[in-house]
Amino acid sequence: MNKAILMGRLTRDPEVRYSQGENSLAIARYTLAVDRRFNRNSGDDATADFINCVAFGKSGEFAERYLRKGIKIAVTGRIQTGSYTNKDGVKVYTTEVVVEDQEFAESKNSSGGDGGYAGNSGYGGNNGFSGGGRPAPMAAGDGFMNIPDGIDEELPFN
């Protein structure tokens, strides 16, 4: 099984290109800075790994539209290796994560950033509305969601 799960921050805005042909395909490339766990007893500072990611199609379009430098995201995908010969004739080996799913790992407010979108990569979203066309309940100051009055009969449990 080839499965990678990462959480980190984008080191730069995604670089997006479109394939040639009748059905062009978005190809987004970005790098995630993923913190390493460290041993508190050794006195080492936290370090990060910089992992190259590539997203195709709708995931690539999502990255182009919503992902920006500094945003914290969670990515699942598969590791892919490859190689090519550069212009100097030297063989270069590559390793990257082919993105299958990407989600925001923090709200726009907690990121303190200037860009982003507080949602996930599922298209359509709820646009601030819960089922039935009612506005979605806002979070209370204690971190719990307020449940609107009169919703008791709609809950699937008692």
Side-chain angles (χ1 to χ4, degrees):
M1 179 186 298
N2 183 353
K3 185 87 166 173
I5 303 170
L6 306 169
M7 185 180 295
R9 295 191 182 275
L10 272 73
T11 62
R12 57 183 165 82
D13 289 353
E15 177 184 308
V16 181
R17 296 184 179 162
Y18 285 85
S19 63
Q20 299 293 321
E22 208 172 290
N23 298 325
S24 64
L25 183 71
I27 304 166
R29 294 183 180 279
Y30 53 86
T31 302
L32 279 184
V34 178
D35 289 335
R36 287 185 185 175
R37 292 185 180 201
F38 62 97
N39 185 350
R40 294 179 196 267
N41 298 334
S42 68
D44 293 336
D45 290 336
T47 59
D49 290 305
F50 297 90
I51 301 172
N52 296 320
C53 299
V54 60
F56 295 97
K58 293 286 185 188
S59 293
E61 293 171 13
F62 178 84
E64 179 179 36
R65 180 174 288 162
Y66 298 114
L67 301 186
R68 297 288 174 261
K69 177 181 178 179
I71 289 178
K72 187 175 188 177
I73 64 170
V75 170
T76 58
R78 62 184 168 82
I79 296 174
Q80 180 173 286
T81 60
S83 65
Y84 64 92
T85 304
N86 69 12
K87 62 183 177 185
D88 299 327
V90 176
K91 192 166 192 171
V92 178
Y93 294 93
T94 62
T95 302
E96 60 192 4
V97 172
V98 177
V99 175
E100 295 168 357
D101 187 39
Q102 53 196 351
E103 299 179 9
F104 293 96
E106 66 184 1
S107 71
K108 184 176 179 181
N109 292 340
S110 64
S111 70
D114 56 343
Y117 169 80
N120 64 23
S121 63
Y123 295 95
N126 67 6
N127 296 325
F129 286 90
S130 58
R134 286 188 301 269
M138 300 301 290
D142 59 2
F144 290 96
M145 185 168 47
N146 290 325
I147 304 294
D149 293 333
I151 197 168
D152 295 336
E153 63 276 359
E154 295 181 29
L155 294 175
F157 51 86
N158 287 328

